[in-house]
Amino acid sequence: MSDPLQSKVAEYSSFITNTLQPKLQLAVNDREETEKEILEYAQLRSKLQMIETQSDGAADAKPINTLVDISHQTIYCNATISNPRTVYVHTGFGFHVEFTIEEAIAFIDKRIMFLQNDVLKHRVEVAMGIAGDVEKAIELLEEFKEADED
C-alpha cells in the first residue's frame, strides 16, 4: 500500500473508531432511554387504572400499602398511600405535579404519544443517520483497499 493511501486508510479507520462509533453508541443509548421512559409511563398508567377501578370513585378511598423505589431500582421501602385519589407524576425536568388519577392517566397518555411520535422518532432517525455514515465510511475504506490492490 502506498504511503498516501495508507495514511488515508488510517485516517478513516481512526475516524470510524474514535468519532462515528461513539456517536452511534450514544444515539442508541438515547433511543433505548426513551423506550424505557415510555415503558415506565405505560406501567404507571396500568397501575393507576388498577387503583381507579379498585376505588370506583368512592369518596373515602381506602389507604393502599405498596413498595416505593427510593434508589433507582436498588432499594425499596414500604409505604402507605393515605389518599389514593391524588398522585404525583414526574412531568420532566425534575418537576412533579399533583394530579387526580383521571388527570394523571390523561397526562400519561399525552406524554406517551409525545415520546413516541416526536422524541423516539427523532432519536431513531439520528441513530439511523449515524449508522449510514458508518456504512459509507466502511465502504470508502474498502474502496481504498481495492484501489491499492489494482
Side-chain angles (χ1 to χ4, degrees):
M1 203 179 281
S2 66
D3 263 351
L5 190 56
Q6 211 171 19
S7 69
K8 283 292 181 189
V9 168
E11 181 183 336
Y12 272 89
S13 294
S14 174
F15 178 70
I16 291 170
T17 304
N18 298 329
T19 303
L20 291 180
Q21 287 178 338
K23 278 186 175 181
L24 180 60
Q25 187 60 46
L26 285 173
V28 168
N29 289 346
D30 287 347
R31 187 205 71 218
E32 289 172 352
E33 183 179 308
T34 302
E35 290 170 343
K36 182 181 174 187
E37 187 176 356
I38 291 169
L39 179 63
E40 288 172 353
Y41 273 115
Q43 289 172 342
L44 177 59
R45 178 181 55 207
S46 69
K47 289 177 184 177
L48 290 175
Q49 288 170 334
M50 182 183 68
I51 291 170
E52 185 179 41
T53 57
Q54 286 176 351
S55 67
D56 279 334
D60 76 1
K62 296 177 185 173
I64 297 174
N65 293 318
T66 187
L67 284 177
V68 177
D69 177 10
I70 60 172
S71 180
H72 302 290
Q73 299 177 342
T74 57
I75 299 175
Y76 295 85
C77 71
N78 290 320
T80 300
I81 303 171
S82 60
N83 181 6
R85 291 181 307 255
T86 61
V87 293
Y88 286 89
V89 178
H90 179 259
T91 57
F93 298 111
F95 291 99
H96 293 80
V97 176
E98 182 177 12
F99 290 112
T100 65
I101 291 179
E102 297 82 19
E103 292 170 338
I105 292 171
F107 168 79
I108 291 168
D109 289 338
K110 290 177 185 176
R111 183 74 178 169
I112 289 173
M113 291 299 294
F114 167 73
L115 290 170
Q116 288 175 335
N117 296 335
D118 294 338
V119 177
L120 185 61
K121 182 180 175 183
H122 172 72
R123 289 186 173 176
V124 166
E125 289 171 357
V126 167
M128 288 175 55
I130 296 170
D133 292 344
V134 170
E135 287 178 21
K136 289 175 188 173
I138 290 172
E139 288 173 10
L140 188 57
L141 278 176
E142 290 172 0
E143 287 178 20
F144 281 150
K145 291 178 183 177
E146 288 174 9
D148 185 52
E149 292 173 0
D150 292 338

